Amino acid sequence: MPRVWVIKDKREGTGSQAISLADALGYEYEIKELDSSPFAKLPNFLLGNSLLSISETCKEKFRPPWPEIVISAGRRAALISRYIKIKSQGGAFICQIMHPGYTLNKIYDMIILPNHDARQGKNIVNFTGSPNRITKEILIKARDSWRSKFNSLERPITSLIVGGSNKYMKFGEFEAQDFSKKITRMHGSLKGSIVFTTSRRTGKIGKTISDQLRGEGCKPSLEYFWGAGGDNPYMGILAYSDYLVVSGDSISMLSEACASPGGVYIYVPPNFNSKKHKRYHEELYNLGAAKPLKGVFSNWDPYNFNPTFDMAEEVKKRISFGA
């Protein structure tokens, strides 16, 4: 069995992509979590072939014997996998998820990029969405763990998964009101139960959305606010929901929702200005994996998929043939 290292960024959405691909490969692996130094804020081309971006303690994790396979995700992890490639004298196969930033991209054996990034190259392999952990086995386990909580809810279960403001969009009072009104109209025809959960970026606007839903007579049957403590029902939401309404700012959340059995609606605020994200939304619409949230319910047989296993097969193929 090959020695496999997973270089994990502390940002959960990024690090989980690397772990998801490692799980799909089926080999035993060792997680090397990064602890950044102040130099990590510098662009990769200035950091060069060094470990300046990580702390002195973290540097001790990256010593021989070198692995046969390295899986990294994100710009910060890409710098470390590049270092390993050089120190192993090319012996390590480097699979980089997401664009590595302004660095020597040809040093990576395989770069996994989503189609909506609109980048191509000899060592670039394109897929729809991002690698994620949602499998049939994970969903079965989640159904067992959350049965008592979700079996008591009236069907259909419509779950709202909200991200938050980023450089591409603002999620403020106006967006909260727009979102809540669309959900209320949709729920008027669907009935059933509303489940509401937030993410790390949602912040105080999550409470605003909850209050507005209640004011519209659309009180959530189950709520979870990120960081509030207690068990996070996120996996139960993916396993039990008949419909999932996901804000369009998060590629990771949308990818996980589309790997789940429920029908996915994407909320795109009027001020959303990311061409890359919009390309991904259109790709999902064309596949039949999602529909835009317009406040009108439409029933369809959704296309549920997870690209992670196809990615893993491509890694194995390239290792075997030395691509």
Side-chain angles (χ1 to χ4, degrees):
M1 295 286 283
R3 181 184 291 109
V4 181
W5 286 3
V6 175
I7 304 177
K8 184 178 181 294
D9 191 309
K10 282 190 174 181
R11 290 170 293 184
E12 191 58 36
T14 302
S16 65
Q17 292 187 39
I19 292 174
S20 297
L21 180 56
D23 285 337
L25 272 176
Y27 303 135
E28 291 185 6
Y29 59 87
E30 184 178 353
I31 297 175
K32 305 280 188 176
E33 185 160 343
L34 298 182
D35 180 29
S36 297
S37 75
F39 292 107
K41 295 180 180 179
L42 294 174
N44 282 5
F45 76 89
L46 288 179
L47 293 165
N49 303 323
S50 74
L51 296 179
L52 283 173
S53 62
I54 57 178
S55 68
E56 291 299 320
T57 303
C58 190
K59 289 176 184 177
E60 295 302 315
K61 299 177 182 179
F62 301 101
R63 298 285 184 263
W66 302 111
E68 284 76 41
I69 302 172
V70 176
I71 301 172
S72 53
R75 180 186 68 83
R76 293 182 179 181
L79 191 66
I80 309 305
S81 62
R82 176 185 172 185
Y83 172 87
I84 295 169
K85 184 70 170 180
I86 293 169
K87 290 297 182 180
S88 67
Q89 298 182 336
F93 180 93
I94 309 297
C95 177
Q96 165 67 21
I97 302 167
M98 304 167 67
H99 195 268
Y102 295 99
T103 184
L104 295 174
N105 294 345
K106 64 183 180 181
I107 203 168
Y108 303 97
D109 297 282
M110 178 177 174
I111 300 175
I112 294 177
L113 295 181
N115 292 325
H116 60 260
D117 265 17
R119 296 176 186 264
Q120 294 183 333
K122 183 180 179 181
N123 60 344
I124 292 176
V125 185
N126 302 106
F127 292 92
T128 299
S130 60
N132 64 81
R133 56 188 167 159
I134 308 305
T135 63
K136 289 181 180 179
E137 292 75 19
I138 290 289
L139 291 171
I140 289 171
K141 185 177 179 180
R143 289 185 70 86
D144 287 341
S145 299
W146 290 95
R147 180 175 286 111
S148 61
K149 182 71 70 174
F150 282 86
N151 272 355
S152 62
L153 300 182
E154 182 184 354
R155 293 283 188 173
I157 297 172
T158 302
S159 292
L160 320 178
I161 304 175
V162 177
S165 296
N166 59 22
K167 62 182 178 181
Y168 300 116
M169 81 169 203
K170 177 185 177 183
F171 207 122
E173 295 281 344
F174 172 81
E175 290 75 22
Q177 187 176 42
D178 181 55
F179 177 76
S180 300
K181 285 183 176 179
K182 285 183 169 68
I183 293 300
T184 301
R185 290 202 302 271
M186 182 179 177
H187 186 248
S189 59
L190 263 180
K191 306 302 181 184
S193 302
I194 293 290
V195 175
F196 176 52
T197 187
T198 66
S199 67
R200 178 179 55 83
R201 284 186 290 104
T202 311
K204 295 180 180 179
I205 204 67
K207 183 66 166 56
T208 302
I209 294 171
S210 175
D211 290 343
Q212 290 184 352
L213 288 171
R214 292 168 187 269
E216 297 279 351
C218 196
K219 178 183 176 181
S221 301
L222 175 64
E223 289 182 316
Y224 182 83
F225 296 98
W226 192 90
D231 293 332
N232 187 337
Y234 181 69
M235 295 306 299
I237 286 171
L238 295 183
Y240 276 97
S241 296
D242 299 290
Y243 304 100
L244 295 151
V245 181
V246 186
S247 58
D249 55 284
S250 173
I251 301 296
S252 294
M253 290 195 308
L254 283 170
S255 295
E256 290 178 343
C258 288
S260 306
V264 177
Y265 287 88
I266 303 175
Y267 172 66
V268 181
N271 66 352
F272 195 82
N273 62 1
S274 169
K275 292 181 180 179
K276 182 173 71 171
H277 283 67
K278 287 182 177 180
R279 285 196 295 267
Y280 181 48
H281 301 164
E282 287 299 324
E283 191 175 3
L284 294 179
Y285 300 153
N286 292 334
L287 285 172
K291 288 182 177 291
L293 178 67
K294 297 180 179 179
V296 179
F297 169 71
S298 58
N299 196 14
W300 87 103
D301 186 18
Y303 171 62
N304 306 119
F305 72 101
N306 184 341
T308 314
F309 292 96
D310 290 336
M311 295 175 184
E313 287 304 311
E314 185 64 26
V315 171
K316 291 179 180 179
K317 184 173 73 174
R318 289 182 174 239
I319 292 172
S320 298
F321 290 97

Coordinates of all heavy atoms in Angstrom, one line a residue, residues 5-9 11 13-25 44 69-79 81-82 93-101 108-114 116-117 119 123-133 251-252 255 307-308 311-312 315:
W5 N -0.1 11.1 2.3 CA -0.3 12.2 3.2 C -1.4 13.1 2.7 O -1.5 13.4 1.5 CB 1.0 13.0 3.2 CG 2.1 12.4 4.0 CD1 2.1 11.2 4.6 CD2 3.4 13.0 4.3 NE1 3.3 11.0 5.2 CE2 4.2 12.1 5.0 CE3 4.0 14.2 3.9 CZ2 5.5 12.3 5.5 CZ3 5.3 14.4 4.3 CH2 6.0 13.5 5.1
V6 N -2.2 13.6 3.6 CA -3.2 14.6 3.3 C -2.8 15.9 4.0 O -2.7 15.9 5.2 CB -4.6 14.1 3.7 CG1 -5.7 15.2 3.5 CG2 -5.1 12.9 3.0
I7 N -2.6 16.9 3.2 CA -2.2 18.2 3.8 C -3.5 19.0 4.0 O -4.1 19.4 3.0 CB -1.2 18.9 2.9 CG1 0.0 18.0 2.6 CG2 -0.8 20.2 3.5 CD1 1.0 18.6 1.7
K8 N -3.8 19.2 5.2 CA -5.1 19.8 5.6 C -5.0 21.2 6.0 O -4.4 21.5 7.0 CB -5.8 18.9 6.7 CG -7.2 19.4 7.1 CD -7.8 18.5 8.1 CE -9.2 19.0 8.5 NZ -9.2 20.3 9.1
D9 N -5.7 22.1 5.3 CA -5.8 23.5 5.6 C -6.8 23.5 6.8 O -7.8 22.7 6.9 CB -6.4 24.2 4.4 CG -6.4 25.7 4.6 OD1 -6.9 26.2 5.6 OD2 -5.9 26.4 3.7
R11 N -9.0 25.7 7.3 CA -10.4 26.1 6.9 C -11.2 24.8 6.5 O -10.8 24.1 5.7 CB -10.2 27.0 5.7 CG -9.7 28.4 6.0 CD -9.3 29.2 4.8 NE -8.2 28.6 4.1 CZ -7.7 29.1 3.0 NH1 -8.1 30.3 2.6 NH2 -6.7 28.5 2.4
G13 N -14.0 24.0 5.0 CA -14.5 23.7 3.7 C -13.4 23.2 2.7 O -13.6 22.3 1.9
T14 N -12.2 23.8 2.9 CA -11.0 23.4 2.1 C -10.4 22.1 2.5 O -10.2 21.2 1.7 CB -10.0 24.5 2.1 OG1 -10.5 25.7 1.7 CG2 -8.8 24.2 1.2
G15 N -10.2 21.9 3.8 CA -9.5 20.7 4.3 C -10.4 19.5 4.1 O -9.9 18.4 3.8
S16 N -11.7 19.6 4.2 CA -12.6 18.5 4.0 C -12.6 17.9 2.6 O -12.8 16.7 2.4 CB -14.0 18.8 4.4 OG -14.6 19.8 3.6
Q17 N -12.3 18.8 1.6 CA -12.2 18.3 0.3 C -11.0 17.3 0.1 O -11.2 16.3 -0.6 CB -12.0 19.5 -0.7 CG -13.3 20.4 -0.8 CD -13.1 21.4 -1.9 OE1 -12.6 21.2 -2.9 NE2 -13.6 22.6 -1.6
A18 N -9.9 17.6 0.7 CA -8.7 16.7 0.6 C -9.0 15.4 1.3 O -8.7 14.3 0.8 CB -7.5 17.4 1.2
I19 N -9.6 15.5 2.5 CA -10.0 14.2 3.2 C -11.0 13.4 2.5 O -10.9 12.2 2.4 CB -10.5 14.6 4.6 CG1 -9.3 15.2 5.4 CG2 -11.0 13.4 5.3 CD1 -9.7 15.7 6.8
S20 N -12.0 14.0 1.8 CA -13.0 13.3 1.1 C -12.4 12.5 -0.1 O -12.7 11.4 -0.3 CB -14.0 14.3 0.5 OG -14.7 14.9 1.6
L21 N -11.4 13.1 -0.8 CA -10.8 12.5 -1.9 C -9.9 11.3 -1.4 O -9.9 10.2 -1.9 CB -9.9 13.4 -2.7 CG -9.2 12.8 -3.9 CD1 -10.1 12.1 -4.8 CD2 -8.4 13.9 -4.6
A22 N -9.2 11.5 -0.2 CA -8.4 10.4 0.4 C -9.3 9.3 0.8 O -8.9 8.1 0.6 CB -7.7 11.0 1.6
D23 N -10.5 9.5 1.3 CA -11.4 8.5 1.7 C -11.8 7.7 0.4 O -11.9 6.4 0.5 CB -12.6 9.0 2.4 CG -12.4 9.5 3.8 OD1 -11.4 9.0 4.4 OD2 -13.1 10.3 4.3
A24 N -12.1 8.4 -0.6 CA -12.6 7.7 -1.9 C -11.5 6.9 -2.5 O -11.7 5.9 -3.2 CB -13.0 8.8 -2.9
L25 N -10.2 7.3 -2.3 CA -9.1 6.5 -2.9 C -9.0 5.1 -2.2 O -8.6 4.1 -2.9 CB -7.8 7.2 -2.6 CG -7.3 8.2 -3.7 CD1 -6.0 8.9 -3.2 CD2 -7.1 7.5 -5.0
N44 N 2.1 32.9 -3.0 CA 3.0 31.7 -3.1 C 4.3 32.0 -3.9 O 5.3 31.4 -3.6 CB 2.2 30.6 -3.7 CG 1.3 29.9 -2.7 OD1 1.1 30.3 -1.6 ND2 0.6 28.8 -3.2
I69 N 2.1 9.4 -2.3 CA 1.0 10.2 -2.8 C 0.7 11.3 -1.8 O 0.7 11.1 -0.6 CB -0.3 9.4 -2.9 CG1 -0.1 8.2 -3.9 CG2 -1.5 10.2 -3.4 CD1 -1.3 7.2 -3.9
V70 N 0.5 12.5 -2.3 CA 0.2 13.7 -1.5 C -1.1 14.3 -2.1 O -1.3 14.5 -3.3 CB 1.3 14.8 -1.5 CG1 0.8 16.0 -0.7 CG2 2.5 14.2 -0.9
I71 N -2.1 14.5 -1.2 CA -3.3 15.2 -1.6 C -3.4 16.5 -0.8 O -3.3 16.5 0.4 CB -4.6 14.3 -1.2 CG1 -4.5 13.0 -1.9 CG2 -5.9 15.1 -1.6 CD1 -5.6 12.0 -1.5
S72 N -3.5 17.6 -1.5 CA -3.6 18.9 -0.9 C -4.8 19.7 -1.5 O -5.2 19.4 -2.6 CB -2.3 19.7 -1.1 OG -1.9 19.7 -2.5
A73 N -5.3 20.6 -0.8 CA -6.4 21.5 -1.2 C -6.2 22.9 -0.8 O -5.9 23.1 0.4 CB -7.7 20.9 -0.7
G74 N -6.3 23.8 -1.7 CA -6.2 25.2 -1.4 C -4.8 25.7 -1.6 O -3.8 25.0 -1.8
R75 N -4.6 27.1 -1.6 CA -3.4 27.7 -1.9 C -2.3 27.4 -0.9 O -1.1 27.2 -1.3 CB -3.6 29.2 -2.0 CG -2.3 30.0 -2.4 CD -2.6 31.5 -2.3 NE -2.9 32.0 -1.0 CZ -1.9 32.3 -0.1 NH1 -0.6 32.1 -0.4 NH2 -2.2 32.7 1.1
R76 N -2.6 27.4 0.4 CA -1.6 27.2 1.4 C -1.1 25.8 1.4 O 0.1 25.6 1.6 CB -2.2 27.6 2.8 CG -2.5 29.1 2.9 CD -3.0 29.5 4.2 NE -3.3 30.9 4.3 CZ -3.7 31.6 5.4 NH1 -4.0 30.9 6.5 NH2 -3.9 32.9 5.3
A77 N -2.0 24.8 1.2 CA -1.5 23.5 1.2 C -0.7 23.2 -0.1 O 0.2 22.4 -0.1 CB -2.7 22.5 1.3
A78 N -1.1 23.9 -1.2 CA -0.4 23.7 -2.4 C 1.1 24.0 -2.3 O 2.0 23.4 -2.9 CB -1.0 24.6 -3.5
L79 N 1.4 25.0 -1.5 CA 2.8 25.4 -1.3 C 3.6 24.3 -0.6 O 4.8 24.0 -1.0 CB 2.9 26.7 -0.5 CG 4.2 27.4 -0.4 CD1 4.6 27.9 -1.7 CD2 4.2 28.5 0.7
S81 N 2.8 20.9 -0.6 CA 2.9 19.8 -1.5 C 4.0 20.0 -2.6 O 4.7 19.1 -3.0 CB 1.6 19.4 -2.1 OG 1.1 20.5 -2.9
R82 N 4.1 21.2 -3.0 CA 5.2 21.6 -4.0 C 6.5 21.3 -3.3 O 7.5 20.8 -4.0 CB 5.0 23.0 -4.4 CG 6.1 23.6 -5.3 CD 5.9 25.0 -5.5 NE 7.1 25.6 -6.3 CZ 7.2 26.9 -6.5 NH1 6.3 27.7 -6.1 NH2 8.2 27.4 -7.1
F93 N 3.7 11.6 -5.9 CA 2.7 12.0 -6.8 C 1.8 13.0 -6.1 O 1.2 12.8 -5.0 CB 1.8 10.8 -7.2 CG 0.7 11.1 -8.2 CD1 0.9 11.0 -9.6 CD2 -0.5 11.6 -7.7 CE1 -0.1 11.3 -10.4 CE2 -1.6 11.9 -8.6 CZ -1.4 11.8 -10.0
I94 N 1.7 14.2 -6.7 CA 1.0 15.3 -6.0 C -0.3 15.6 -6.7 O -0.4 15.9 -7.9 CB 1.8 16.7 -6.1 CG1 3.2 16.4 -5.6 CG2 1.1 17.7 -5.3 CD1 3.3 16.0 -4.1
C95 N -1.4 15.4 -6.0 CA -2.7 15.7 -6.4 C -3.2 17.0 -5.7 O -3.4 16.9 -4.5 CB -3.7 14.6 -6.2 SG -5.4 14.9 -6.7
Q96 N -3.4 18.1 -6.4 CA -3.8 19.3 -5.8 C -5.2 19.6 -6.2 O -5.6 19.6 -7.4 CB -2.9 20.4 -6.3 CG -3.4 21.9 -6.1 CD -3.4 22.2 -4.6 OE1 -2.7 21.6 -3.8 NE2 -4.2 23.2 -4.3
I97 N -6.0 19.9 -5.2 CA -7.4 20.3 -5.4 C -7.5 21.8 -5.3 O -7.0 22.4 -4.3 CB -8.3 19.6 -4.3 CG1 -8.2 18.1 -4.4 CG2 -9.8 20.0 -4.5 CD1 -8.8 17.4 -3.2
M98 N -8.2 22.4 -6.2 CA -8.3 23.9 -6.3 C -7.0 24.4 -6.9 O -6.0 23.8 -6.8 CB -8.6 24.5 -5.0 CG -9.9 24.0 -4.3 SD -10.1 24.5 -2.6 CE -10.3 26.2 -2.7
H99 N -7.2 25.6 -7.5 CA -6.0 26.2 -8.2 C -4.9 26.6 -7.1 O -5.2 27.1 -6.1 CB -6.4 27.5 -8.9 CG -5.4 27.9 -9.9 ND1 -4.5 28.9 -9.6 CD2 -5.2 27.6 -11.2 CE1 -3.7 29.1 -10.6 NE2 -4.1 28.3 -11.6
P100 N -3.7 26.2 -7.4 CA -2.6 26.4 -6.4 C -2.1 27.8 -6.3 O -1.2 28.1 -5.5 CB -1.5 25.5 -6.9 CG -1.7 25.4 -8.4 CD -3.2 25.5 -8.6
G101 N -2.7 28.8 -7.0 CA -2.2 30.1 -6.9 C -1.1 30.4 -7.9 O -0.8 29.6 -8.8
Y108 N 2.8 20.0 -10.3 CA 1.8 19.2 -9.8 C 1.5 18.1 -10.8 O 1.3 18.4 -12.0 CB 0.6 20.0 -9.4 CG 0.9 21.1 -8.4 CD1 1.1 22.4 -8.8 CD2 1.0 20.8 -7.0 CE1 1.4 23.4 -7.9 CE2 1.3 21.8 -6.1 CZ 1.5 23.1 -6.6 OH 1.8 24.1 -5.7
D109 N 1.4 16.9 -10.4 CA 1.0 15.8 -11.3 C -0.4 15.9 -11.7 O -0.7 15.5 -12.9 CB 1.3 14.4 -10.6 CG 2.7 14.2 -10.2 OD1 3.5 13.9 -11.1 OD2 3.1 14.4 -9.1
M110 N -1.3 16.3 -10.9 CA -2.7 16.4 -11.2 C -3.3 17.6 -10.4 O -3.1 17.7 -9.2 CB -3.4 15.1 -10.8 CG -4.9 15.0 -11.1 SD -5.5 13.4 -10.7 CE -7.3 13.7 -10.9
I111 N -4.0 18.4 -11.1 CA -4.7 19.5 -10.4 C -6.2 19.3 -10.7 O -6.6 19.3 -11.9 CB -4.3 20.9 -11.0 CG1 -2.8 21.1 -10.7 CG2 -5.1 22.0 -10.3 CD1 -2.2 22.4 -11.3
I112 N -7.0 19.2 -9.7 CA -8.5 19.0 -9.8 C -9.1 20.3 -9.7 O -9.0 21.0 -8.7 CB -9.0 18.0 -8.8 CG1 -8.4 16.6 -9.0 CG2 -10.5 18.0 -8.8 CD1 -8.8 15.6 -7.9
L113 N -9.8 20.7 -10.8 CA -10.5 22.0 -10.8 C -12.0 21.8 -11.2 O -12.2 20.9 -12.1 CB -9.9 23.0 -11.8 CG -8.5 23.4 -11.4 CD1 -8.0 24.4 -12.5 CD2 -8.4 24.1 -10.1
P114 N -12.9 22.5 -10.7 CA -14.3 22.4 -11.2 C -14.4 23.1 -12.5 O -13.7 23.9 -12.9 CB -15.1 23.3 -10.1 CG -14.1 24.2 -9.5 CD -12.7 23.5 -9.6
H116 N -16.5 25.1 -13.6 CA -16.8 26.6 -13.6 C -15.6 27.5 -13.4 O -15.7 28.7 -13.6 CB -17.9 26.9 -12.5 CG -17.4 26.5 -11.1 ND1 -17.8 25.4 -10.5 CD2 -16.7 27.2 -10.2 CE1 -17.3 25.3 -9.3 NE2 -16.6 26.4 -9.1
D117 N -14.4 26.9 -13.0 CA -13.2 27.7 -13.0 C -12.7 28.1 -14.4 O -11.9 29.0 -14.5 CB -12.1 26.9 -12.3 CG -12.0 27.2 -10.8 OD1 -13.0 27.8 -10.3 OD2 -11.0 26.9 -10.2
R119 N -10.6 26.8 -16.4 CA -9.1 26.6 -16.6 C -8.8 25.2 -17.2 O -9.4 24.3 -16.7 CB -8.4 26.8 -15.3 CG -8.5 28.2 -14.7 CD -7.7 28.2 -13.4 NE -7.9 29.4 -12.6 CZ -7.0 30.4 -12.6 NH1 -5.9 30.3 -13.4 NH2 -7.2 31.5 -11.9
N123 N -2.1 18.9 -17.0 CA -2.2 18.3 -15.7 C -3.5 18.7 -15.0 O -3.6 18.4 -13.8 CB -1.0 18.6 -14.8 CG -0.8 20.1 -14.6 OD1 -1.4 20.9 -15.3 ND2 0.0 20.4 -13.6
I124 N -4.4 19.4 -15.6 CA -5.7 19.8 -15.0 C -6.8 18.9 -15.4 O -6.9 18.5 -16.6 CB -6.0 21.2 -15.4 CG1 -5.0 22.2 -14.8 CG2 -7.4 21.6 -15.0 CD1 -5.2 23.7 -15.2
V125 N -7.5 18.4 -14.4 CA -8.7 17.5 -14.7 C -9.9 18.3 -14.1 O -9.9 18.7 -13.0 CB -8.6 16.2 -14.0 CG1 -9.7 15.3 -14.4 CG2 -7.2 15.5 -14.4
N126 N -10.9 18.4 -15.0 CA -12.1 19.2 -14.6 C -13.3 18.3 -14.2 O -13.5 17.2 -14.9 CB -12.5 20.1 -15.8 CG -11.5 21.1 -16.2 OD1 -10.8 20.9 -17.2 ND2 -11.2 22.1 -15.3
F127 N -14.0 18.7 -13.2 CA -15.2 18.0 -12.8 C -16.3 19.0 -12.4 O -16.1 20.2 -12.3 CB -14.9 17.1 -11.5 CG -14.0 15.9 -11.8 CD1 -12.6 16.1 -11.6 CD2 -14.5 14.7 -12.2 CE1 -11.8 15.0 -11.9 CE2 -13.7 13.6 -12.5 CZ -12.3 13.8 -12.3
T128 N -17.5 18.5 -12.3 CA -18.6 19.3 -11.8 C -18.6 19.4 -10.3 O -18.7 18.3 -9.6 CB -20.0 18.8 -12.3 OG1 -20.0 18.7 -13.7 CG2 -21.1 19.6 -11.7
G129 N -18.4 20.6 -9.7 CA -18.5 20.7 -8.3 C -17.2 20.3 -7.6 O -16.1 20.3 -8.2
S130 N -17.2 20.1 -6.3 CA -16.0 19.8 -5.5 C -16.1 18.5 -4.8 O -17.2 18.0 -4.5 CB -15.8 21.0 -4.4 OG -17.0 21.0 -3.6
P131 N -15.0 17.9 -4.4 CA -15.0 16.6 -3.7 C -15.7 16.8 -2.4 O -15.5 17.8 -1.7 CB -13.6 16.2 -3.6 CG -12.8 17.5 -3.8 CD -13.6 18.3 -4.7
N132 N -16.5 15.8 -2.0 CA -17.2 15.9 -0.7 C -17.4 14.5 -0.1 O -17.2 13.5 -0.7 CB -18.5 16.6 -0.9 CG -19.5 15.9 -1.7 OD1 -20.2 15.0 -1.3 ND2 -19.6 16.3 -3.0
R133 N -17.8 14.5 1.2 CA -17.9 13.3 2.0 C -19.2 12.6 1.9 O -19.4 11.6 2.6 CB -17.6 13.7 3.4 CG -18.6 14.8 3.9 CD -18.3 15.3 5.3 NE -19.0 16.6 5.5 CZ -19.3 17.1 6.7 NH1 -18.8 16.5 7.8 NH2 -20.0 18.2 6.8
I251 N -19.8 26.8 -2.9 CA -19.7 25.6 -3.8 C -19.7 24.3 -3.0 O -20.3 23.4 -3.4 CB -18.3 25.7 -4.6 CG1 -18.3 27.0 -5.4 CG2 -18.2 24.5 -5.5 CD1 -19.3 27.2 -6.5
S252 N -19.0 24.3 -1.8 CA -19.0 23.1 -1.0 C -20.4 22.7 -0.5 O -20.7 21.5 -0.6 CB -18.1 23.3 0.2 OG -16.7 23.5 -0.2
S255 N -22.4 21.3 -3.4 CA -21.9 20.0 -3.8 C -22.4 18.9 -2.9 O -22.8 17.9 -3.3 CB -20.4 20.0 -3.9 OG -19.9 20.9 -4.9
P307 N -19.0 13.7 -7.4 CA -17.9 13.5 -8.3 C -16.6 12.9 -7.7 O -15.7 12.6 -8.4 CB -17.6 14.9 -8.8 CG -17.9 15.8 -7.7 CD -19.1 15.2 -7.0
T308 N -16.6 12.7 -6.4 CA -15.4 12.4 -5.7 C -14.8 11.0 -6.1 O -13.6 10.9 -6.2 CB -15.6 12.4 -4.1 OG1 -16.3 13.5 -3.8 CG2 -14.3 12.3 -3.4
M311 N -13.1 11.3 -9.3 CA -11.8 11.9 -9.1 C -10.8 10.9 -8.6 O -9.6 10.9 -9.1 CB -11.9 13.1 -8.1 CG -12.8 14.2 -8.5 SD -13.0 15.4 -7.2 CE -14.2 16.6 -7.9
A312 N -11.2 10.1 -7.7 CA -10.3 9.1 -7.1 C -9.8 8.1 -8.2 O -8.6 7.7 -8.3 CB -11.0 8.3 -6.0
V315 N -7.1 9.7 -10.3 CA -5.9 9.7 -9.6 C -5.2 8.3 -9.8 O -4.0 8.3 -10.1 CB -6.1 10.0 -8.1 CG1 -4.7 9.8 -7.3 CG2 -6.5 11.4 -7.8

